[in-house]
Amino acid sequence: MKRWLPDAVARPRLALALAQSLSLVACLAPCAAHAASAPDNALLTPAPDDMVRYLVRSGDNLFRLASDYLIRPETYRTVQQLNHVADPLRLPIGKTLLIPRVLLKQEAVRGTVLSWRGAVRIDGRPAANGMPVTEGMLLETGQRSFVTVTLPDDTSIALPSQSAVRVRRLRKVVLDRHVERLFAIERGRASAAVTPMTDPASTFQFATPGAVTSVRGTRFRMSYDADAHRATSEVLEGKVGFDTQGRSAQVLPAGFGSASDLDEPIALLPPPLLVDAAAPQTDADLRFSWQALPGARAYHLQLATDAQFLKVLDETVVAGSSAQLAGLPDGRYFVRATAIDGHGLEGKPALAEFERRRENSLRLSVEESWNGPVRQYVFHWDPAHESRATFRFQLAKPGREDRPTIDRDGLSSHALVGLALAPGRYRWRVLMDEIVDGHTVSRWTDYQDVRIEASW
């Protein structure tokens, strides 16, 4: 991984350039002012090359270049001295100019909140879909809360619960249109799906106070434990440069991860084998199980409405091989499970789509009343939720359920009046025929006991 230090040849020139332009730092784009409250030097954040290389074209001169691309046009003199240009009006076509990055104009790049759930704040304000995210902002998630931010090139950054990420850099350099993106993880975790970059000068980085990851286009995760001062990174696709203080830089290929206290990458745990994950979830709560993996100390389970997990709904971390989450409305969802090893590295994900379909139970009750001189009984059955259903009512003497006294089918109402019933003990139940996904699902209730009293 590149160490982001000026080379020995350029260093004396750079010192001169920076000395002459030191007063310009306060004049950078407004987004830099946001970052001033928490300076980059608190992080291990290797900046992009301090020099931008520009190939002179026909018609170029230092005055025009300064007017178009420098924050302050008069600083062309710094570029002139750095590149030993005798006449600022005469530049040899094809010559490469070295221009200190600190002198160049920049444009803000804006991200957008794609989805969020729970207690999410963007720079102290409650999150909303479509909310802009710009340089300097702080993204925070509370317990069981999630947010996904997308960038103009369709790169996405996702924060799980209990995380905080500061947008350190989100800008474009006007001269060569390259983009700089740096997200500082202050606590918790973040993951990214980075669109491959065709511009070699563009960057995407996650950073913590002890480590930094740099990518060109990949899917990866990074975490930071603020109490232990420990960073981790795991790569799912592509490769990632992982640089930590006091240790050699590492290159993490797909399927490997590392931590700030590890000297070399280690293989991630394989995906857990989910058990009957595609089966319909019909209980009040959602339940999932998987086969235990050797070397796993815990498991991370997430639910989302999409297979990319841009819209996460819930999550949990458990030590065993099963988990229970709160119920969701009927529909189709996705579950993702990963195993966490002894180093705290999260492994490869297992993914499954499942159907949430609550069974429509019936609540049975009997109402006794008088209809003139006759005692009547009204049998009620109330569905848990409305649906396209018909009902069948049966009332029988105990031990004679196969020959019911009353057997009424094709009912659309939720009640039936029983008149002129002989006194004694009875048992009753209701069948519900419900249309689910174009198919009829039939379920009987359990028998209920009722005693019929004489009218006189």
Side-chain angles (χ1 to χ4, degrees):
M1 174 176 171
K2 192 172 182 181
R3 281 291 186 169
W4 301 118
L5 295 176
D7 57 62
V9 176
R11 198 171 296 164
R13 298 176 180 174
L14 178 60
L16 173 63
L18 295 180
Q20 292 176 328
S21 58
L22 187 61
S23 62
L24 299 179
V25 174
C27 301
L28 291 176
C31 52
H34 290 283
S37 60
D40 282 0
N41 59 16
L43 300 160
L44 182 60
T45 54
D49 289 336
D50 293 310
M51 292 291 181
V52 172
R53 290 163 173 77
Y54 177 77
L55 191 65
V56 175
R57 295 174 292 186
S58 176
D60 282 342
N61 62 68
L62 282 186
F63 295 133
R64 187 188 70 79
L65 294 178
S67 175
D68 289 345
Y69 302 121
L70 300 187
I71 298 172
R72 293 175 57 184
E74 60 268 27
T75 57
Y76 80 88
R77 296 184 181 87
T78 298
V79 181
Q80 182 180 5
Q81 294 177 24
L82 186 63
N83 292 275
H84 304 289
V85 175
D87 185 350
L89 289 174
R90 297 180 182 274
L91 296 175
I93 296 175
K95 177 181 176 64
T96 298
L97 297 178
L98 297 178
I99 304 175
R101 188 177 303 276
V102 70
L103 304 182
L104 290 169
K105 292 179 181 178
Q106 298 168 345
E107 295 176 351
V109 174
R110 191 179 80 168
T112 304
V113 174
L114 174 68
S115 67
W116 63 277
R117 187 177 180 90
V120 177
R121 301 191 75 81
I122 309 296
D123 225 29
R125 294 178 298 159
N129 288 344
M131 177 181 286
V133 175
T134 56
E135 186 168 310
M137 288 186 171
L138 179 65
L139 316 179
E140 297 177 282
T141 59
Q143 187 174 6
R144 298 181 68 181
S145 303
F146 317 92
V147 65
T148 298
V149 173
T150 56
L151 303 182
D153 68 342
D154 291 330
T155 289
S156 62
I157 302 98
L159 274 66
S161 55
Q162 305 285 27
S163 298
V165 172
R166 175 79 66 178
V167 185
R168 289 291 186 193
R169 297 194 193 107
L170 193 53
R171 60 182 76 160
K172 181 183 293 184
V173 176
V174 174
L175 175 65
D176 59 2
R177 312 303 294 174
H178 78 262
V179 180
E180 300 174 6
R181 297 166 293 184
L182 171 61
F183 296 85
I185 302 174
E186 298 183 0
R187 68 175 183 273
R189 299 180 63 84
S191 62
V194 181
T195 301
M197 292 171 264
T198 57
D199 172 17
S202 292
T203 59
F204 184 98
Q205 297 170 316
F206 276 160
T208 74
V212 63
T213 55
S214 302
V215 304
R216 299 293 306 161
T218 185
R219 287 199 306 126
F220 74 110
R221 303 181 292 248
M222 192 172 189
S223 72
Y224 180 64
D225 185 333
D227 294 330
H229 305 289
R230 185 175 186 268
T232 66
S233 185
E234 305 107 14
V235 183
L236 302 177
E237 291 179 3
K239 63 181 180 180
V240 166
F242 184 64
D243 201 358
T244 60
Q245 290 175 331
R247 294 181 184 271
S248 299
Q250 303 176 35
V251 175
L252 310 182
F256 283 77
S258 192
S260 53
D261 54 0
L262 296 177
D263 292 324
E264 59 184 11
I266 62 175
L268 301 178
L269 289 176
L273 181 59
L274 293 164
V275 178
D276 295 329
Q281 294 275 348
T282 58
D283 294 338
D285 292 328
L286 306 178
R287 293 178 173 85
F288 301 92
S289 61
W290 50 88
Q291 294 182 7
L293 278 174
R297 75 177 189 191
Y299 299 89
H300 183 200
L301 196 77
Q302 287 186 308
L303 303 179
T305 60
D306 64 301
Q308 292 74 36
F309 277 72
L310 299 177
K311 300 179 179 180
V312 177
L313 300 174
D314 204 354
E315 70 176 354
T316 187
V317 176
V318 297
S321 57
S322 63
Q324 181 173 321
L325 293 165
L328 293 170
D330 287 359
R332 302 200 69 84
Y333 300 93
F334 293 85
V335 57
R336 182 169 67 185
T338 53
I340 302 171
D341 67 15
H343 298 286
L345 298 179
E346 192 169 330
K348 299 177 182 179
L351 181 69
E353 185 179 11
F354 68 94
E355 180 186 7
R356 168 61 166 163
R357 187 177 70 217
R358 296 170 296 169
E359 287 195 350
N360 198 358
S361 59
L362 296 176
R363 185 173 63 87
L364 305 184
S365 62
V366 179
E367 178 187 358
E368 179 184 346
S369 62
W370 288 90
N371 183 10
V374 179
R375 191 192 304 265
Q376 70 177 15
Y377 292 84
V378 182
F379 297 87
H380 296 274
W381 51 93
D382 299 311
H385 57 268
E386 292 298 326
S387 64
R388 295 167 56 193
T390 58
F391 307 94
R392 179 179 180 182
F393 174 88
Q394 287 186 342
L395 179 79
K397 287 284 190 176
R400 303 181 64 181
E401 288 85 359
D402 59 335
R403 289 170 290 173
T405 305
I406 299 176
D407 190 351
R408 297 282 300 276
D409 200 0
L411 301 173
S412 59
S413 63
H414 299 164
L416 185 69
V417 179
L419 294 171
L421 292 172
R425 300 187 65 84
Y426 293 85
R427 307 187 77 202
W428 69 287
R429 65 176 181 170
V430 177
L431 173 71
M432 177 169 58
D433 291 327
E434 187 176 23
I435 305 298
V436 178
D437 294 335
H439 302 283
T440 300
V441 177
S442 300
R443 290 185 294 272
W444 281 104
T445 66
D446 294 332
Y447 275 105
Q448 302 290 312
D449 294 325
V450 61
R451 183 177 181 84
I452 304 298
E453 303 290 347
S455 295
W456 297 100

